[in-house]
Amino acid sequence: MKKDVIKYSMKGCILAIILSSYGCNDFLEYEPYGPDTSANFWKTESDLQNAVNALYAYQQIQEVTGRGHIWYECANDNMIPGRSGSSGIGDAFKNFQGSADFTRVSDIWQNMYVLIAKTNDLLRYVPDMNIAQATKDEAIGEAYFFRAYSYLWMCPWYGDNGPNGGIPIVTEENTVDNMDVARPPSVLDNYEMIISDLRKAAELLPYFSQQSPTNYGHPHKAAAWAFAARAALYASEWDAKYFDIVIEMCDKVMGLTGLDKRGLYPDFARLWRVENNFSEEYIFSIPGSGTTGGGSMYHGMGFQQDGYGYKNTWGYFQPTAELYEAYDEPDDARRDATLLVPGQHIDFVGHDIHWCVNPPSVSSPTHLTIRKFMSIYEGADCVGKTVQTSDGHNALATVIIRYADVLLMKAEALIWKNGEGNSEAKSLLNQIRKRAGLPENSNATKAELKKERRLELAHELLPSRHYDLVRWGDAKEAYSKPLHGYTVKFKTVGDDEYVFDPSEKIVVWPARNFDPAKRRLCPIPQPAIDSSDNLVQNQGY
């Protein structure tokens, strides 16, 4: 029977994958795991700390926090698959032909349900531990946070309000024998749970100012509120009542005072530097690791495929001319901070790279590349210092949500709820524009909100351009147009002086037909379907 296949199913996550994941974190070695071992599950604060530490294992999985999620996101009009040799995954998802059999992207589903199972163990067993209540409260807060976070990571890609429904809800109430549950009727059921969990988490978690530097990157109250706002914003596509929750949660973050007060870091270009990992704009990130391993590898997924022999940055995802041209106000500081265009210079592992000129060859089909995260590669001594020697782990934190996103979420809720021209939304958008070096002349229209969200959050890991287009109902039209790059044009043959002419464009990706009825969602990994009696594949796959 299918239930006997212990692989990616809910039961399988508990009995097989989780044990191996926990073993890697040196916990659960104290007592054997099983349905009748609650009395012996964890005994000491040290046991509990090891259990909490295990929640962070997902951060080191490159197919989740490196390129797995971005294979889905690559469908958007800001980027294209930037190199060959990607097993066809990027091309397939770009063209809405993703397969349930792609193992690289199946890691998202698998590992997030592993994380959910770990949080459920904490919620199931920690309340009865004989240790300090404050220690228990913080662990329970982290468990609620990461359960919500895991579902929020998956829901936009796998669930809807019909015809497919939400994704399986597994809580601490589910025993090992009833992990294989049916999908809820609507993804709103998931978002309700996410928001509820994050409210509980915020009650128990510390303020960021109460965390020691060694715990930076752990959840805190502001992070819980900000993710609750994101969940409510996504839910508002189907029910406008959630705009009130967006506003409520954003107000909680914006209302913080003293050492917890959040704000926009003054210099957008310098925001993406190691020293600003936890600046005033920080809300939640995957911490960088430098030379010690672990942490997200996302920053090493762009730039040049072989790094010119200095340090391979893989070159998987590259920007489009459409994104470059969206920065249509000449003083917008975000454009050159985000993108590198032909003829510009960048320091890379101590070498002056004259992009598309010296060296002349680039792996990017658009002849554009991402500059936003490249500060970690500047120094001649960066390899082994800010970038790990053997792979793409690095010291720069990977932003999952930041204060600018909070301002944009609240502005969107206000505009969609109260109408264009809302005065408070104007003020919020003008804060974004001022930091970008632009006039504070926002009109707070829907079109402006969409544009500012695109320009401000371009190429970041989780604020999803693709999902924004889908939930706004704009994806079909946006994807019906071809995507472009630029030619390389020198003044004279053999000259090394490059002239960048934005009018000299080439088509790098043809127009696509996005059918929201069939391709709004991605396929649930086939092993999960095969291992379950109840899990139903999304329609169209």
Side-chain angles (χ1 to χ4, degrees):
M1 295 178 62
K2 288 183 178 179
K3 282 186 178 180
D4 294 328
V5 181
I6 309 253
K7 208 166 187 180
Y8 292 101
S9 67
M10 301 304 103
K11 186 189 292 187
C13 284
I14 289 290
L15 294 180
I17 301 169
I18 292 205
L19 287 178
S20 62
S21 299
Y22 284 179
C24 292
N25 291 277
D26 295 326
F27 105 100
L28 281 190
E29 62 184 25
Y30 307 101
E31 299 287 348
Y33 178 81
D36 300 318
T37 61
S38 59
N40 295 320
F41 205 72
W42 301 306
K43 297 177 180 177
T44 68
E45 289 193 10
S46 178
D47 293 350
L48 179 56
Q49 186 59 59
N50 287 329
V52 171
N53 290 344
L55 299 178
Y56 297 88
Y58 82 96
Q59 297 180 348
Q60 302 182 34
I61 302 168
Q62 64 161 285
E63 300 300 355
V64 177
T65 61
R67 52 185 167 170
H69 167 84
I70 302 298
W71 291 130
Y72 293 164
E73 179 60 14
C74 199
N76 75 44
D77 54 354
N78 282 354
M79 65 169 73
I80 65 168
R83 55 167 282 192
S84 60
S86 60
S87 304
I89 298 174
D91 289 13
F93 280 100
K94 187 73 178 175
N95 291 326
F96 317 115
Q97 297 169 350
S99 167
D101 295 320
F102 280 145
T103 57
R104 291 182 183 273
V105 293
S106 71
D107 283 358
I108 299 171
W109 178 280
Q110 170 192 344
N111 284 284
M112 286 302 159
Y113 269 109
V114 168
L115 182 52
I116 288 165
K118 292 178 181 180
T119 64
N120 286 337
D121 284 341
L122 289 166
L123 294 172
R124 186 179 295 115
Y125 295 115
V126 170
D128 293 330
M129 289 184 71
N130 187 25
I131 59 175
Q133 188 63 45
T135 302
K136 293 198 294 184
D137 285 347
E138 187 162 353
I140 293 169
E142 289 208 41
Y144 278 124
F145 178 91
F146 276 112
R147 185 168 72 180
Y149 176 86
S150 301
Y151 277 110
L152 185 54
W153 195 297
M154 294 189 292
C155 283
W157 306 103
Y158 299 119
D160 62 21
N161 192 40
N164 296 287
I167 63 174
I169 294 176
V170 185
T171 73
E172 71 275 22
E173 301 299 324
N174 294 90
T175 66
V176 172
D177 292 327
N178 69 347
M179 293 291 166
D180 186 9
V181 297
R183 299 176 66 165
S186 170
V187 75
L188 289 176
D189 295 302
N190 293 108
Y191 287 128
E192 281 286 343
M193 176 186 175
I194 291 167
I195 294 167
S196 174
D197 276 2
L198 289 168
R199 287 185 186 277
K200 295 173 185 175
E203 292 177 359
L204 297 170
L205 291 171
Y207 289 97
F208 176 58
S209 64
Q210 295 173 322
Q211 292 182 327
S212 67
T214 57
N215 280 341
Y216 286 178
H218 285 228
H220 49 90
K221 291 184 187 298
W225 293 328
F227 280 118
R230 182 177 284 174
L233 186 69
Y234 290 172
S236 67
E237 177 187 356
W238 291 293
D239 192 332
K241 73 178 184 181
Y242 288 98
F243 285 131
D244 288 332
I245 299 176
V246 177
I247 294 167
E248 174 198 356
M249 293 299 166
C250 290
D251 280 344
K252 286 181 177 293
V253 177
M254 295 167 60
L256 291 167
T257 59
L259 296 175
D260 286 292
K261 183 175 177 59
R262 302 289 84 195
L264 297 177
Y265 184 77
D267 187 340
F268 183 87
R270 294 192 65 82
L271 176 61
W272 314 101
R273 305 188 69 85
V274 172
E275 60 268 26
N276 292 317
N277 278 347
F278 301 103
S279 69
E280 60 262 50
E281 191 146 351
Y282 163 79
I283 293 182
F284 193 75
S285 301
I286 298 173
S289 59
T291 61
T292 60
S296 172
M297 297 176 67
Y298 176 55
H299 304 129
M301 299 296 168
F303 199 58
Q304 175 70 13
Q305 178 175 345
D306 60 3
Y308 301 110
Y310 304 128
K311 175 62 178 172
N312 189 0
T313 45
W314 297 15
Y316 276 115
F317 310 107
Q318 300 295 350
T320 61
E322 280 69 24
L323 175 59
Y324 179 84
E325 292 170 359
Y327 295 98
D328 57 2
E329 295 182 78
D331 295 328
D332 195 331
R334 296 172 296 189
R335 187 188 68 186
D336 287 345
T338 302
L339 305 174
L340 189 71
V341 304
Q344 291 182 330
H345 292 258
I346 191 170
D347 292 329
F348 184 71
V349 196
H351 298 269
D352 175 26
I353 303 299
H354 193 184
W355 184 248
C356 292
V357 179
N358 187 22
S361 63
V362 297
S363 58
S364 170
T366 65
H367 295 115
L368 299 170
T369 198
I370 304 170
R371 184 197 288 267
K372 203 170 195 177
F373 314 116
M374 295 304 295
S375 64
I376 48 176
Y377 292 95
E378 289 176 353
D381 61 345
C382 69
V383 178
K385 183 178 180 181
T386 56
V387 182
Q388 192 169 343
T389 304
S390 59
D391 54 37
H393 295 301
N394 58 80
L396 184 63
T398 301
V399 173
I400 306 298
I401 197 163
R402 57 187 173 93
Y403 188 70
D405 197 357
V406 171
L407 299 183
L408 288 164
M409 288 191 294
K410 184 177 181 184
E412 181 174 344
L414 289 168
I415 293 169
W416 265 251
K417 178 185 177 184
N418 299 326
E420 296 185 329
N422 178 268
S423 59
E424 187 177 4
K426 287 183 179 181
S427 175
L428 297 171
L429 292 173
N430 278 333
Q431 291 180 54
I432 299 287
R433 290 180 58 79
K434 180 180 180 180
R435 199 261 297 272
L438 300 175
E440 297 176 65
N441 58 4
S442 169
N443 291 315
T445 62
K446 290 184 177 181
E448 184 195 355
L449 183 283
K450 293 175 181 180
K451 178 181 175 181
E452 290 296 342
R453 188 165 178 85
R454 180 184 194 180
L455 304 185
E456 180 71 22
L457 304 175
H459 285 287
E460 294 175 35
L461 183 65
L462 264 184
S464 170
R465 167 69 177 169
H466 173 64
Y467 189 60
D468 281 351
L469 290 171
V470 169
R471 67 186 179 85
W472 290 329
D474 296 340
K476 185 174 180 65
E477 180 181 356
Y479 298 156
S480 68
K481 304 169 186 176
L483 298 173
H484 296 82
Y486 296 106
T487 61
V488 177
K489 181 180 179 182
F490 294 90
K491 279 188 173 180
T492 60
V493 175
D495 192 1
D496 65 355
E497 187 173 352
Y498 179 84
V499 177
F500 176 53
D501 184 354
S503 69
E504 297 280 339
K505 293 195 295 186
I506 53 174
V507 174
V508 294
W509 209 274
R512 297 164 290 158
N513 180 25
F514 175 75
D515 183 350
K518 295 181 179 179
R519 288 296 182 263
R520 175 195 174 93
L521 301 181
C522 294
I524 294 173
Q526 194 60 42
I529 301 294
D530 293 341
S531 302
S532 170
D533 287 335
N534 295 300
L535 187 58
V536 178
Q537 181 60 274
N538 286 324
Q539 294 186 16
Y541 296 100

